[in-house]
Amino acid sequence: MDRKVHDTLLKWKSSSGRALVLEGPRQTGKTFIMKEFSKSYHYSVYIDLEENEELKTVFEQTNDASEIYEKLSYNGIRFDTSSGNPLFIIDGIQSCPRAFSALKPLAVDGRCDMIASVSLPGVEPSEGDFPSPIGYVQMVEMGPMDFEEFLWAMGIGKELTAKIRQWIDTGSEIDVSIGSALTRYFRKFMTVGGMPAAVQKYVDTKDCNEVWDVLASICNIIEKDALRYSDKKDRLKILACLESIPSQLAGENKTFVYKDVGKQAGTGRREYGSSLDWLHRAGLINLCYNLRDPCEPLSQMERTDSFKVYLKDPGILTYMLGRETASAIESGNTYVNEGAVVESCISQALVSNGYRIHFYSKPNSSLKMDFVISYKGRLTALETRSGKTKISRSLLMLTSGDYKVERGIKIADGPVGADEHGILHLPLFAPCFFDIPRIETAPSRTPRK
């Protein structure tokens, strides 16, 4: 599986000096990519602290780099430094917080290039008197495969996906046969998702039922992590929050309601806030906040009491919604369950491309917008919910001049084009190819003589 993060690792290697930590949910391919990356070294050492309790004691006994290497050698682990720095991989470092702390002395020592993985991003504290490695580590987030990586796995070359990105960026018309093929792949992505094991199973078998079994196994692992790595008082609440997300997204409103978690009136953030926060810190969900007003700066317009919760992986969401949902999507009903899966796909596409996501719902009004982002330096409204209607009343209202929204984009199952109102229509997969937002800088002035 070709992953974009591999380029990040190569760049780190050429200018290393700090340890690198891959953080992200379990089953997103961190171990695989680290082992693939190790092939660029003359020599590498791999240890898994979740699988080897004895090696944990090495880090629990000392925080001195030389002593760590000596104790590892007594465990039969050798480091060949004869031809330059070897790569030292520590997998599952979240199971041993003192090993996470040890990344600082190991990075300073410099005899190895250090790379580690954290499967639960929110679980990486140092303990006792051991120093924090922050400042000596580069944190790199790794989530599920995005749609472009999914296309690579399906055999679509990088040259072709680069062309797709260019077409979306310029708003160019896409050939009908190509657009239809990409839409079919996108629907498949909605049911298979981006977890590498699920994608690989589909590549190998083309059997969605076998993929279903893989997704079931991944969901079981998520549940076990919640029970193992959370406070005892929150464990069942975390699972309840997770299980409520599909039904909340499948409703017309989609805004997360705490009392719907336990089906008990009067419950709210006090009962479930820390549990939802655990899911967010574990890298399993995206939070999309409502705006008091759709204007810049978006971060200052957030209503922290009103938000949507999206699962990062569409395959897991489809699995939780059930086989009927998967069958409907496979049959072409993209907007089944009020568009819960397609909206989640788009949320993750925007987040993975570097966008901060928000939505807008005007109180006591039918005016609502699925996403409001800053796209190409302009405040942009994105609508995904109306696949069959050509004219969007909410988009027209937000871009009419009474609001500060400068651009309207409708994401639908259709071709690229602009309508008579200036609304840009893009296909379902388009946000997966949006350019990464960049910091705009003013041109430098030529100094006066």
Side-chain angles (χ1 to χ4, degrees):
M1 294 291 174
D2 199 354
R3 303 297 302 273
K4 295 175 182 178
V5 73
H6 193 270
D7 291 336
T8 302
L9 298 182
L10 290 174
K11 184 177 180 181
W12 165 79
K13 179 184 178 182
S14 65
S15 60
S16 63
R18 296 186 296 170
L20 184 141
V21 176
L22 276 180
E23 58 175 351
R26 202 181 298 278
Q27 298 292 305
T28 52
K30 297 183 297 298
T31 299
F32 173 83
I33 201 68
M34 290 190 299
K35 289 183 175 180
E36 282 294 301
F37 176 62
S38 71
K39 296 176 183 178
S40 66
Y41 283 78
H42 77 282
Y43 191 83
S44 64
V45 171
Y46 171 88
I47 63 174
D48 186 342
L49 294 184
E50 281 201 315
E51 298 296 328
N52 195 321
E53 289 290 334
E54 291 184 2
L55 291 182
K56 286 184 185 179
T57 62
V58 171
F59 297 95
E60 290 167 350
Q61 291 172 355
T62 181
N63 203 42
D64 179 81
S66 293
E67 289 186 24
I68 289 172
Y69 283 120
E70 181 180 2
K71 291 179 182 294
L72 288 173
S73 69
Y74 283 114
N75 282 271
I77 299 173
R78 301 287 184 267
F79 294 86
D80 180 3
T81 60
S82 61
S83 301
N85 281 19
L87 179 66
F88 185 11
I89 301 171
I90 305 178
D91 209 351
I93 206 168
Q94 77 280 346
S95 66
C96 183
R98 293 189 179 185
F100 181 73
S101 298
L103 291 177
K104 175 181 177 179
L106 289 171
V108 172
D109 178 85
R111 76 185 73 178
C112 290
D113 289 353
M114 295 296 310
I115 187 169
S117 76
V118 171
S119 289
L120 295 168
V123 185
E124 51 191 38
S126 299
E127 288 185 345
D129 297 327
F130 286 73
S132 168
I134 301 303
Y136 295 85
V137 297
Q138 177 181 343
M139 307 298 293
V140 176
E141 185 176 354
M142 184 174 176
M145 297 171 69
D146 63 24
F147 181 55
E148 186 173 15
E149 292 171 325
F150 181 82
L151 289 175
W152 295 343
M154 295 299 108
I156 307 298
K158 292 185 178 181
E159 299 82 2
L160 294 178
T161 58
K163 286 184 179 180
I164 299 167
R165 187 175 296 278
Q166 183 179 9
W167 292 333
I168 297 301
D169 181 57
T170 58
S172 301
E173 185 177 350
I174 299 176
D175 179 85
V176 174
S177 62
I178 295 175
S180 297
L182 290 172
T183 299
R184 289 194 301 273
Y185 277 123
F186 188 74
R187 291 196 188 106
K188 185 63 66 178
F189 180 64
M190 289 172 65
T191 57
V192 173
M195 291 301 196
V199 176
Q200 188 64 62
K201 179 60 70 173
Y202 180 73
V203 170
D204 293 341
T205 67
K206 297 296 188 292
D207 188 335
C208 290
N209 291 300
E210 292 203 30
V211 172
W212 203 257
D213 292 339
V214 174
L215 292 173
S217 175
I218 293 173
C219 287
N220 184 256
I221 291 171
I222 291 172
E223 291 179 3
K224 287 182 177 179
D225 277 347
L227 296 174
R228 179 180 179 184
Y229 291 109
S230 64
D231 291 338
K232 187 175 181 179
K233 64 180 179 62
D234 287 334
R235 289 171 183 171
L236 295 181
K237 293 179 181 179
I238 290 170
L239 296 181
C241 282
L242 180 63
E243 290 167 0
S244 79
I245 292 172
S247 61
Q248 299 217 34
L249 286 178
E252 184 178 357
N253 183 29
K254 290 186 171 58
T255 304
F256 191 84
V257 180
Y258 283 113
K259 69 179 180 61
D260 288 349
V261 175
K263 306 297 182 183
Q264 184 177 353
T267 55
R269 178 171 178 79
R270 183 177 62 181
E271 288 79 18
Y272 292 105
S274 60
S275 302
L276 196 65
D277 182 60
W278 188 93
L279 291 171
H280 188 235
R281 288 186 295 112
L284 296 169
I285 61 174
N286 292 320
L287 298 179
C288 182
Y289 286 98
N290 197 357
L291 297 169
R292 295 194 303 273
D293 190 39
C295 65
E296 299 276 15
L298 295 175
S299 60
Q300 294 183 21
M301 292 293 109
E302 291 180 353
R303 288 182 52 193
T304 56
D305 63 335
S306 177
F307 54 91
K308 298 178 184 178
V309 179
Y310 296 108
L311 286 173
K312 284 183 177 288
D313 184 67
I316 291 176
L317 176 59
T318 301
Y319 172 81
M320 294 178 72
L321 285 167
R323 291 181 183 270
E324 290 184 357
T325 296
S327 297
I329 293 171
E330 291 282 348
S331 301
N333 184 3
T334 309
Y335 294 91
V336 64
N337 289 318
E338 297 289 341
V341 182
V342 70
E343 198 170 314
S344 288
C345 279
I346 291 172
S347 76
Q348 176 60 11
L350 293 172
V351 169
S352 63
N353 280 332
Y355 290 90
R356 190 182 180 101
I357 55 174
H358 301 88
F359 73 101
Y360 180 62
S361 180
K362 186 177 181 179
N364 304 315
S365 170
S366 61
L367 178 58
K368 58 182 64 176
M369 188 51 52
D370 299 322
F371 299 102
V372 180
I373 63 172
S374 180
Y375 178 55
K376 294 187 176 182
R378 299 170 64 187
L379 192 61
T380 303
L382 272 70
E383 184 178 71
T384 66
R385 66 177 62 238
S386 306
K388 295 181 180 179
T389 57
K390 291 185 177 181
I391 299 176
S392 166
R393 182 173 174 270
S394 291
L395 275 175
L396 291 179
M397 290 180 66
L398 286 175
T399 56
S400 65
D402 294 335
Y403 294 88
K404 296 182 180 180
V405 177
E406 301 173 84
R407 185 204 312 259
I409 298 178
K410 181 171 179 180
I411 307 298
D413 193 353
V416 176
D419 62 26
E420 65 272 22
H421 304 287
I423 303 299
L424 178 62
H425 292 241
L426 293 176
L428 294 173
F429 53 83
C432 306
F433 296 94
F434 278 5
D435 272 353
I436 296 173
R438 303 183 185 280
I439 298 174
E440 300 292 336
T441 58
S444 58
R445 289 184 173 182
T446 303
R448 294 180 179 179
K449 294 182 180 180

